[in-house]
Amino acid sequence: MDQEKQIAITSLFEVVSSIERKWANEWNNHNVLGFSKSHILILDYLSQEGPKRPSAIADRLKVTTGGVTVLTTKLINAGFIEKTQHATDRRASQLKITADGEDILEESRQQVNELIQNMFGMLSAEEVQTLRNIFSKLLNAETNRYE
C-alpha cells in the first residue's frame, strides 16, 4: 500500500472512531429509555421480521449468542420481548416482541430520529446513501474475509 493511501486510511480510522464516540455520547446523553442501541436494534428486528431464534439475532447484530442472551434478558425482564417455543422445532426457542415492546420501540424511534438528525442532518440524501454504501461495503468485506 502506498504511503499516501496509508496516511488517508489512518486519518479515516481516527474520524470513524470519533464519530462512533460522538454517536455513543449523544445516545447516552439523550437516552431516556435506559436501553442500548443493541436493545433497540433487537426490538426493531423482531418487529420487522417476526419471531426469531437467538442465533438469527446474533447473526444480524454480529454478536455471539451469549451476547444475545445478555441483551435479551433485560428485554424479557422488562416485558418487551418474550421467549416462546419455535413453531416447528419444539427443542428450539424463539424470541418475539410484545405489545409493550412495540410501544417502547416507537418511543425509541423518535429518539433515534432526533439523534440521526443531529449527526447527519447536514448531509444530502445522496451523501447519506454514499456513506451507507461505503459502510456496507466495508462490513461485507470484513464478513467475507473470514469465511
Side-chain angles (χ1 to χ4, degrees):
M1 177 179 326
D2 68 28
Q3 187 168 354
E4 186 177 328
K5 185 174 180 181
Q6 182 63 42
I7 291 169
I9 288 173
T10 300
S11 176
L12 176 63
F13 178 78
E14 292 169 2
V15 169
V16 169
S17 295
S18 294
I19 289 171
E20 198 285 324
R21 277 192 306 276
K22 181 179 178 184
W23 187 291
N25 288 337
E26 287 287 319
W27 178 264
N28 292 334
N29 289 336
H30 297 96
N31 182 0
V32 296
L33 303 174
F35 292 101
S36 71
K37 292 177 287 186
S38 296
H39 289 114
I40 303 307
L41 290 171
I42 290 171
L43 291 174
D44 188 58
Y45 182 48
L46 295 175
S47 177
Q48 298 295 321
E49 302 285 330
K52 292 291 176 196
R53 295 184 64 177
S55 58
I57 295 170
D59 288 343
R60 178 69 170 255
L61 295 183
K62 309 232 183 301
V63 298
T64 65
T65 52
V68 169
T69 299
V70 170
L71 290 165
T72 57
T73 297
K74 184 172 182 177
L75 293 170
I76 290 168
N77 290 341
F80 298 143
I81 62 173
E82 62 185 15
K83 186 182 280 193
T84 61
Q85 283 187 320
H86 191 276
T88 58
D89 184 354
R90 293 288 184 200
R91 297 167 297 164
S93 66
Q94 61 184 13
L95 299 163
K96 75 177 217 176
I97 192 167
T98 64
D100 287 343
E102 291 286 357
D103 291 342
I104 201 76
L105 178 60
E106 188 54 39
E107 278 185 57
S108 74
R109 284 182 177 143
Q110 293 169 6
Q111 183 176 325
V112 169
N113 286 339
E114 288 175 27
L115 177 63
I116 289 170
Q117 270 307 112
N118 289 339
M119 296 232 10
F120 300 104
M122 78 295 293
L123 300 176
S124 69
E126 183 179 313
E127 289 171 325
V128 170
Q129 188 59 47
T130 299
L131 194 57
R132 185 191 181 289
N133 290 344
I134 291 168
F135 286 149
S136 293
K137 185 175 182 179
L138 291 171
L139 282 173
N140 289 332
E142 184 68 20
T143 300
N144 294 335
R145 182 180 311 157
Y146 296 107
E147 289 181 346

